[in-house]
Amino acid sequence: MPFMSFFSMYNKSFIYVFLSRLMIGALFTLQFLLASCAMDDAVSEPSPFVPTVQRQPTYEVEKVMDVVYGYGYGYHAELDSTIETALMLDIYRPTGITSPRPVYMFLHGGGFVGGAKSNENIKAMGEYFASRGWVFLSIDYRTTAHIGQDVSKLAPQEWINMALQNIEENRSAQFIAMYMAQRDAKAAMRWTMANDEQLSID
């Protein structure tokens, strides 16, 4: 009898655990199905606050040029000196829209040697995307054109030493400009995030 009693208690415990786990599994399954239904509803009926863009030019474009997003040291040819220089960007945005818009941050190419936001093709890109509902930011950043004889303020000394000692002579300035450019890109990103409401971006 004691053995049978123990066996009966064991069976009851096993059945209790089994049913409990089965119920928990059923609840998780139900929760998953409900969540899936909710996701389907969200897809079929998008929120009015979700930014939308157009395939065709739809909006007039407002342009704000040469907005200062930060400062960095650079060579000034007229002064023949390395001084603090304003870093600028251009804003292209659709007019007549108050809801938050998607933002397109564009940094021109040029291998850290050249390039500028004033390029006509880049201006055309700004017009293209802004007319379809985007806020387009065209970023200028420092290149080798901003490097003079004094490079001490342009990058950490370790970076400068590596550029001067381990990089080919005709590429050392490009290597230093690489550091400057990535710093400027981060500054532009911080400026954009700090001014998201003013820019009406999502």
Side-chain angles (χ1 to χ4, degrees):
M1 288 295 293
F3 175 79
M4 293 299 296
S5 177
F6 172 79
F7 184 75
S8 299
M9 289 176 60
Y10 175 81
N11 281 343
K12 288 180 181 178
S13 299
F14 176 81
I15 292 172
Y16 175 79
V17 171
F18 175 79
L19 290 177
S20 298
R21 291 183 177 178
L22 184 64
M23 186 175 295
I24 292 172
L27 289 173
F28 273 115
T29 302
L30 179 61
Q31 185 178 15
F32 174 79
L33 291 174
L34 291 174
S36 298
C37 292
M39 289 174 64
D40 289 340
D41 291 342
V43 171
S44 60
E45 298 180 8
S47 167
F49 299 104
V50 174
T52 56
V53 293
Q54 309 297 327
R55 291 186 177 181
Q56 300 299 325
T58 305
Y59 308 101
E60 295 293 325
V61 177
E62 176 189 6
K63 292 176 281 188
V64 185
M65 317 303 278
D66 296 330
V67 177
V68 176
Y69 68 84
Y71 292 89
Y73 283 100
Y75 177 71
H76 195 289
E78 293 181 3
L79 300 176
D80 191 24
S81 179
T82 298
I83 61 173
E84 196 171 50
T85 304
L87 307 172
M88 299 183 182
L89 58 80
D90 293 341
I91 303 171
Y92 301 78
R93 57 188 174 192
T95 60
I97 301 179
T98 57
S99 60
R101 312 305 307 155
V103 61
Y104 188 153
M105 290 188 65
F106 183 85
L107 286 85
H108 62 77
F112 309 105
V113 174
K117 63 183 178 61
S118 58
N119 181 285
E120 292 300 324
N121 291 329
I122 297 175
K123 290 181 178 180
M125 285 181 62
E127 294 270 0
Y128 178 93
F129 283 99
S131 68
R132 288 160 172 78
W134 294 77
V135 173
F136 185 92
L137 304 179
S138 180
I139 315 298
D140 256 357
Y141 53 88
R142 291 170 293 168
T143 64
T144 55
H146 296 83
I147 298 177
Q149 293 296 321
D150 180 15
V151 297
S152 60
K153 297 179 180 179
L154 303 181
Q157 192 59 49
E158 294 83 359
W159 190 280
I160 294 171
N161 291 341
M162 183 179 295
L164 298 178
Q165 297 171 10
N166 302 321
I167 307 298
E168 298 176 18
E169 185 176 353
N170 62 337
R171 292 184 177 273
S172 59
Q174 189 177 13
F175 191 75
I176 294 173
M178 189 186 303
Y179 178 87
M180 297 156 57
Q182 61 91 15
R183 295 287 295 179
D184 296 349
K186 290 180 180 179
M189 179 69 75
R190 288 193 295 268
W191 182 91
T192 301
M193 295 175 66
N195 292 275
D196 58 344
E197 292 186 6
Q198 183 179 350
L199 293 169
S200 296
I201 59 175
D202 183 34

